């Protein structure tokens, strides 16, 4: 086995199409997708990955029909409770990252309680909710403006939601679209990108391992001409 990514980002796309293929409502796909989160996160950690960052709800996803947004918010609270219970046992620290001000007080309470339980974990599971990469960069720059600290690549990095974490080595997007959709824009500068047509609810351990194998075959040059 070649190199193993320390940090993997996953854009979990394709729930709606997965449901449509089964003549079901989109919410059916979101439910199936949420049930896949724990399986894949645990599998990633079992392979030795240290940090998993999951894109669960973008700042642009608020533009979806109100009913779908409400269902997603409800589901997020629900699966966070299940995830946290398991995470405590498995030594996984859960962080919910994003603009939490726009979430309901109820969901914020669930997030605070559930993530606090997991604070002793050593592997890290970041769940991005109401997250956008551009918004994250603007937020970092505003923090620097307020503190008066000089704007440098490092000071911006220290003011991102992922402050203190290594950049993602590998970014996976399921669901067939070849785009980032505002995911980890600053952090992805030198990430290896892996796109698969597999829809998120169907993305299983074997598919995850394919992404790892593919990553292991890449030569990361960082602008140089040899490793
Ligand atoms: C990903 O699945 C989940 C979210 C973006 C919240 P989608 O809901 O985008 O599913 P598709 O892309 O429409 O199939
Ligand atoms: C990206 O999926 C965001 C998440 C996976 C949460 P979208 O379905 O929102 O992205 P677009 O609209 O296809 O770019
Ligand atoms: Mg989508």
């Amino acid at each position: 086995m070649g190199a193993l990514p320390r940090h993997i980002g996953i854009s979990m796309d394709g729930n709606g199409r997965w449901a449509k293929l089964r003549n079901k409502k989109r919410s059916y796909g979101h439910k199936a997708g949420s049930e896949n989160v724990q399986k894949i996160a645990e599998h990633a950690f079992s392979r030795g990955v240290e940090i998993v960052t999951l894109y669960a709800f973008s700042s642009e996803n608020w533009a979806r029909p109100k009913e779908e947004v409400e269902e997603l918010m409800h589901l997020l609270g629900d699966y966070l409770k299940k995830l946290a219970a398991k995470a405590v046992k498995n030594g996984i620290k859960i962080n919910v990252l994003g603009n939490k001000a726009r979430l309901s007080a109820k969901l914020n309470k669930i997030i605070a309680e559930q993530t606090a339980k997991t604070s002793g974990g050593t592997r890290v599971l970041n769940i991005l909710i109401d997250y956008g990469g551009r918004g994250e960069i603007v937020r970092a720059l505003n923090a620097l403006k307020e503190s008066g600290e000089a704007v440098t690549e490092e000071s911006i990095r220290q003011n991102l939601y992922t402050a203190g974490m290594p950049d993602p080595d590998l970014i996976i997007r399921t669901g067939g679209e070849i785009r980032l959709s505002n995911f980890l824009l600053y952090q992805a500068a030198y990430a290896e990108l892996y796109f698969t047509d597999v829809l998120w609810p169907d993305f299983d351990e074997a598919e995850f391992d394919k992404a790892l194998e593919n990553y292991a075959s890449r030569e990361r040059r960082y602008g140089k001409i040899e490793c």
Side-chain angles (χ1 to χ4, degrees), residues 108-129:
N108 265 312
K109 186 163 179 273
I110 295 174
I111 290 170
E113 285 170 0
Q114 299 303 316
T115 55
K117 280 206 283 204
T118 69
S119 61
T122 50
R123 280 93 51 91
V124 175
L125 178 60
N126 296 317
I127 300 174
L128 308 190
I129 300 180

Side-chain angles (χ1 to χ4, degrees), residues 10-14 17 55-58 60-61 64 128 173 177 179-181:
I10 308 180
S11 195
M12 309 183 289
D13 195 27
R17 280 163 287 161
Y55 202 10
F57 189 89
S58 76
E60 287 74 30
N61 289 149
R64 294 189 179 195
L128 308 190
R173 179 168 183 153
E177 309 295 358
R179 55 178 172 252
L180 288 174
S181 302

Side-chain angles (χ1 to χ4, degrees), residues 6-214:
R6 286 184 71 191
H7 181 178
I8 298 189
I10 308 180
S11 195
M12 309 183 289
D13 195 27
N15 294 346
R17 280 163 287 161
W18 185 90
K20 199 171 174 211
L21 283 170
R22 287 158 181 78
N23 291 314
K24 302 274 193 189
K25 292 204 302 183
R26 293 177 60 82
S27 56
Y28 183 74
H30 292 315
K31 181 100 182 24
S34 73
E35 282 158 10
N36 203 30
V37 166
Q38 187 171 314
K39 185 172 87 182
I40 293 303
E42 280 177 9
H43 181 66
F45 294 130
S46 79
R47 286 279 183 253
V49 174
E50 296 164 45
I51 305 173
V52 175
T53 299
L54 302 176
Y55 202 10
F57 189 89
S58 76
S59 39
E60 287 74 30
N61 289 149
W62 292 109
R64 294 189 179 195
K66 190 166 173 271
E67 196 192 19
E68 180 168 347
V69 171
E70 277 170 9
E71 278 164 359
L72 280 166
M73 291 299 149
H74 182 78
L75 217 47
L76 286 167
D78 253 22
Y79 88 66
L80 198 56
K81 287 182 200 163
K82 289 184 198 139
L83 273 179
K86 279 275 178 76
V88 174
K89 287 189 203 133
N90 295 336
I92 296 166
K93 178 180 182 349
I94 299 178
N95 298 313
V96 173
L97 308 177
N99 180 11
K100 297 195 195 86
R102 286 201 270 184
L103 306 178
S104 71
K106 190 176 161 204
L107 184 55
N108 265 312
K109 186 163 179 273
I110 295 174
I111 290 170
E113 285 170 0
Q114 299 303 316
T115 55
K117 280 206 283 204
T118 69
S119 61
T122 50
R123 280 93 51 91
V124 175
L125 178 60
N126 296 317
I127 300 174
L128 308 190
I129 300 180
D130 191 10
Y131 170 90
R134 284 185 174 173
E136 181 187 34
I137 295 166
V138 170
R139 177 178 172 273
L141 293 176
N142 278 324
L144 292 172
K145 194 169 142 196
E146 194 144 306
S147 70
E149 200 185 328
V151 175
T152 65
E153 290 192 8
E154 193 48 35
S155 69
I156 292 174
R157 175 206 275 283
Q158 290 310 327
N159 283 278
L160 299 175
Y161 292 119
T162 52
M165 302 178 198
D167 283 343
D169 301 292
L170 171 65
I171 288 184
I172 297 172
R173 179 168 183 153
T174 64
E177 309 295 358
I178 316 291
R179 55 178 172 252
L180 288 174
S181 302
N182 215 3
F183 183 41
L184 299 177
L185 296 185
Y186 195 87
Q187 299 90 330
Y190 266 100
E192 297 297 325
L193 308 181
Y194 180 86
F195 297 96
T196 170
D197 288 337
V198 176
L199 304 171
W200 172 249
D202 290 331
F203 187 82
D204 59 10
E205 291 98 333
E207 291 295 337
F208 180 88
D209 287 347
K210 273 195 221 169
L212 279 191
E213 265 169 48
N214 184 289

